[in-house]
Amino acid sequence: MSSVTVIDEEIHHARRAAIRNGLADTGMDLDVAERWCDAVEAEATRQRIIRSSAYWAIGKLWIEAQRSARKRPPS
């Protein structure tokens, strides 16, 4: 594994953690926030969205849209 790949992976995990923690900061249970992050990754895989610098920004918007529609994360 190249150092670029490792750094990309670390950045991805840090951004995911920031989204999860931001959800938890609003009072959401940490496990539920984690499931929302899992759902973002599953949806991105389904739609063949690549991990770019905007991946988690888009993911955050997707979570907000799902929550606005009163949807819940998968169990």
Side-chain angles (χ1 to χ4, degrees), residues 2-3 7 42 44 47 52 55-56 60 69:
S2 73
S3 60
I7 292 169
Q47 292 190 29
S52 67
Y55 183 93
W56 282 106
K60 180 180 178 186

Side-chain angles (χ1 to χ4, degrees), residues 36-54:
W36 274 117
C37 289
D38 291 342
V40 165
E41 291 187 311
E43 182 66 14
T45 297
R46 189 181 73 72
Q47 292 190 29
R48 297 182 181 154
I49 296 172
I50 60 168
R51 289 184 185 177
S52 67
S53 60

Side-chain angles (χ1 to χ4, degrees), residues 5 17 32 35 55 63 66 73:
T5 304
V32 174
R35 289 199 325 262
Y55 183 93
I63 292 169
Q66 298 302 301

Side-chain angles (χ1 to χ4, degrees), residues 25-37:
D25 287 348
T26 67
M28 183 181 291
D29 182 82
L30 196 56
D31 290 334
V32 174
E34 188 67 35
R35 289 199 325 262
W36 274 117
C37 289

